[in-house]
C-alpha cells in the first residue's frame, strides 16, 4: 500500500510489464524458441503474482494470473514435461482460494480442471482424473449458476 500511495502509476506500469512478458512468451513460442518462451511465461506469472499481492481486489488481474499460469503449463507441455504441466495447471486452480469467483473465472478454471483430467487419464492416473472431472463439473456448474443470476 505504501508503494501505491507514493507511486500512483505503479500498478499501471506493473500491469503493462505483465502484458508485455506474456506477449513475449507468445512470440517466442511462435518462433519455436520453447525454452525461452517458458522463461518469459514464468516471468509473466511472477509479475501477475506481484500485481495481485498489491491489488487483491483486481478481479481481471486474478484472471490474468490464471492465464499466465496456464501459459506456463502449456509451455511445459510443449517441452514434453507433462507432470510439471499438470502441476502448473493445478497451481492455476488454486486461485479459487484467493478471490471470489466470477462466472468467467469459474468457467476458465473449469476448462483447466478438464485439461488436468485429460492429461491425468492419459498418464494412467485414473483416480486423479476422476477427481479433476468432478472439480471441472463443480466449477462449470458454479459458472452457469452465477451467470444465470447475473442476467
Amino acid at each position: 500500500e505504501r508503494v501505491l500511495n507514493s507511486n500512483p502509476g505503479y500498478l499501471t506500469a506493473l500491469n503493462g510489464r505483465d502484458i508485455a512478458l506474456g506477449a513475449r512468451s507468445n512470440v517466442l513460442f511462435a518462433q519455436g524458441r520453447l525454452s525461452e518462451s517458458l522463461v518469459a511465461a514464468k516471468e509473466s506469472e511472477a509479475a501477475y503474482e506481484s500485481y495481485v499481492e498489491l491489488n487483491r481486489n483486481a478481479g481481471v488481474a486474478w484472471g490474468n494470473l490464471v492465464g499466465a499460469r496456464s501459459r506456463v503449463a502449456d509451455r511445459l507441455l510443449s517441452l514434453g514435461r507433462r507432470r510439471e504441466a499438470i502441476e502448473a495447471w493445478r497451481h492455476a486452480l488454486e486461485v479459487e482460494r484467493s478471490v471470489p469467483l466470477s462466472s468467467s473465472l469459474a468457467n476458465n478454471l473449469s476448462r483447466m480442471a478438464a485439461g488436468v483430467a485429460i492429461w491425468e487419464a492419459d498418464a494412467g492416473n485414473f483416480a486423479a482424473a476422476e477427481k479433476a472431472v468432478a472439480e471441472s463439473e463443480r466449477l462449470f456448474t458454479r459458472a452457469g449458476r452465477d451467470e444465470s443470476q447475473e442476467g
Side-chain angles (χ1 to χ4, degrees):
E1 192 171 319
R2 189 180 73 227
V3 171
L4 296 179
N5 288 336
S6 63
N7 300 300
Y10 184 74
L11 278 178
T12 302
L14 190 59
N15 189 49
R17 184 186 69 167
D18 303 345
I19 292 168
L21 287 167
R24 182 171 188 269
S25 176
N26 292 341
V27 168
L28 291 167
F29 184 79
Q31 293 173 343
R33 297 162 62 186
L34 304 181
S35 294
E36 292 172 83
S37 176
L38 174 60
V39 169
K42 286 183 175 184
E43 290 172 348
S44 175
E45 175 186 21
Y48 275 113
E49 287 171 349
S50 296
Y51 187 94
V52 298
E53 282 301 312
L54 291 171
N55 190 4
R56 300 207 56 84
N57 296 323
V60 171
W62 285 101
N64 290 342
L65 175 59
V66 168
R69 288 179 176 171
S70 178
R71 185 181 296 113
V72 168
D74 292 343
R75 300 312 183 249
L76 287 164
L77 191 60
S78 70
L79 289 164
R81 294 160 59 180
R82 179 181 12 201
R83 179 55 36 205
E84 289 174 82
I86 291 169
E87 292 310 312
W89 278 313
R90 288 190 191 286
H91 189 49
L93 291 167
E94 292 173 5
V95 165
E96 180 182 7
R97 291 183 271 179
S98 300
V99 64
L101 286 183
S102 66
S103 174
S104 174
L105 187 55
N107 187 46
N108 288 340
L109 291 174
S110 171
R111 287 186 281 138
M112 268 186 218
V116 168
I118 290 167
W119 289 108
E120 288 288 18
D122 188 60
N125 301 323
F126 299 113
E130 287 178 16
K131 184 177 176 184
V133 166
E135 186 171 11
S136 177
E137 289 174 348
R138 178 185 62 77
L139 288 162
F140 185 76
T141 300
R142 167 76 186 271
R145 183 182 70 233
D146 289 351
E147 198 168 86
S148 68
Q149 290 174 358
E150 291 171 6

